[in-house]
Amino acid sequence: MRKYMGEIMLCITAIIWGSGFVVSSIALEHYTPYQVLAGRFLIGFLVLSVIFYKKLKVLNREIIMKGLVLGFFLYLAFVLQTVGLQYTTPSKNAFLTAVNVVIVPFIAFFAYKRGINKYELTGAILAIVGIGFLSLQFSANINIGDLLTLACAVAFAYQIFYTAKYVKNEDPITLTIIQMFFAAAFSWIVVLFKGEMNFSFETEAVSSILYLAIFSTTLAYLFQTIAQKFTNETKTAIILSTESFWGMTFSVFLLSEVLTIRMIIGAILILCAILIAETKLSFLKKKSAEKLT
């Protein structure tokens, strides 16, 4: 039951992140990308600290160091994604970020020297192809923005991998709070360094930051961390890759984006990827066994 609860929480996280594409576009009309990151991580840390303040009474050096590692990779991923977006198209940025779904099982393979599950790897590759159909315009040109975004995918992959590793022996809520603290600290250091301290307080600007902070950051990463206590890192990456599917869905319904055949094919491939990784095609095996009997 815990396993299914974990997977449901990951699905909710992907849906929230999908909706975040629309809200992020609104936030970026009022703030710089670095201000958006600083705002969402700081508010996320404060909200978690207020709600779960008792968790902070049992901090130790070990969990602080683990939170530092997660916070570093989390902020690094977002910064590389943000800077990369300045030099490449949004579609390529979304696709290359999602490459983390294929990187995660190989990180686990080299770290633990364990075999790669063929169903999960097939699901990961299918998810990438599906995301390509959803987001890519099939341009073959590669630039610095693409390389930075690919580095962002590696950072996200390590964030997922280390979350799975650390959450086995640590409280997921405390780990999320410390992760948010360090991500916020890195964010504000960069904002101060760049001299971007002039924040807008217009209603639309503040509400967009609050949504990204409370839902896309606080709730989403809390759910991810808790869920990874019961779900392996490869399956986590595959489920979270549906973020692009949900981003498409919200764009169609909220921004009146035209739904194309290519987008439908991409959505079907992503859903097939989850089906393969989740069931390992056991329903086909059962049918084959029934025919033999």
Side-chain angles (χ1 to χ4, degrees):
M1 189 62 193
R2 286 183 175 181
K3 171 197 165 188
Y4 293 120
M5 281 302 297
E7 291 171 1
I8 290 169
M9 292 175 90
L10 290 173
C11 288
I12 294 172
T13 298
I15 293 170
I16 292 171
W17 284 347
S19 69
F21 284 117
V22 176
V23 182
S24 291
S25 65
I26 297 171
L28 289 170
E29 291 176 5
H30 303 275
Y31 304 108
T32 70
Y34 301 99
Q35 288 177 322
V36 171
L37 296 183
R40 66 188 289 178
F41 286 130
L42 177 61
I43 295 171
F45 166 69
L46 293 175
V47 169
L48 285 170
S49 298
V50 169
I51 297 173
F52 302 106
Y53 66 93
K54 290 182 180 179
K55 299 283 185 180
L56 299 176
K57 296 178 181 178
V58 291
L59 290 181
N60 55 60
R61 186 177 180 276
E62 188 176 0
I63 196 168
I64 290 173
M65 292 308 296
K66 289 174 179 177
L68 170 61
V69 171
L70 293 180
F72 169 75
F73 279 117
L74 183 62
Y75 184 69
L76 179 64
F78 273 104
V79 164
L80 289 169
Q81 184 184 47
T82 302
V83 177
L85 186 56
Q86 295 175 340
Y87 302 100
T88 190
T89 63
S91 62
K92 287 176 90 174
N93 186 263
F95 172 75
L96 291 170
T97 298
V99 169
N100 73 77
V101 75
V102 175
I103 298 172
V104 169
F106 286 99
I107 293 175
F109 170 73
F110 288 113
Y112 299 130
K113 299 293 185 291
R114 71 186 184 203
I116 298 176
N117 184 295
K118 63 180 181 181
Y119 295 104
E120 291 180 351
L121 182 60
T122 301
I125 294 170
L126 257 185
I128 280 294
V129 175
I131 292 163
F133 272 94
L134 277 181
S135 58
L136 274 185
Q137 301 301 319
F138 298 103
S139 168
N141 297 325
I142 296 176
N143 57 41
I144 185 64
D146 298 332
L147 296 176
L148 289 171
T149 309
L150 197 56
C152 140
V154 175
F156 271 126
Y158 272 102
Q159 193 272 342
I160 291 172
F161 170 76
Y162 278 114
T163 299
K165 181 179 179 181
Y166 294 155
V167 81
K168 290 176 183 176
N169 301 313
E170 302 291 353
D171 176 68
I173 296 174
T174 309
L175 199 58
T176 305
I177 295 173
I178 304 304
Q179 176 181 209
M180 286 299 136
F181 169 78
F182 282 111
F186 292 130
S187 301
W188 282 95
I189 288 170
V190 172
V191 165
L192 287 169
F193 179 77
K194 291 180 69 65
E196 297 179 352
M197 294 302 294
N198 186 24
F199 283 79
S200 169
F201 290 97
E202 293 179 30
T203 303
E204 185 180 68
V206 173
S207 59
S208 63
I209 282 289
L210 285 174
Y211 181 90
L212 290 173
I214 294 170
F215 293 98
S216 296
T217 305
T218 307
L219 191 62
Y221 280 101
L222 183 62
F223 275 15
Q224 180 200 333
T225 308
I226 294 172
Q228 284 198 249
K229 204 170 183 74
F230 315 110
T231 311
N232 71 46
E233 59 276 353
T234 301
K235 198 172 287 184
T236 295
I238 292 172
I239 295 174
L240 292 180
S241 75
T242 62
E243 166 191 6
S244 57
F245 165 77
W246 292 109
M248 174 205 73
T249 303
F250 282 107
S251 295
V252 168
F253 285 101
L254 299 181
L255 301 180
S256 301
E257 185 174 335
V258 178
L259 185 64
T260 65
I261 295 296
R262 185 163 58 83
M263 293 162 71
I264 293 171
I265 293 172
I268 291 170
L269 287 172
I270 291 172
L271 294 176
C272 286
I274 294 173
L275 187 66
I276 291 171
E278 185 65 35
T279 67
K280 297 180 173 55
L281 301 180
S282 57
F283 57 92
L284 293 179
K285 294 174 186 175
K286 286 179 181 177
K287 286 183 179 178
S288 299
E290 287 172 3
K291 286 180 181 178
L292 290 173
T293 55

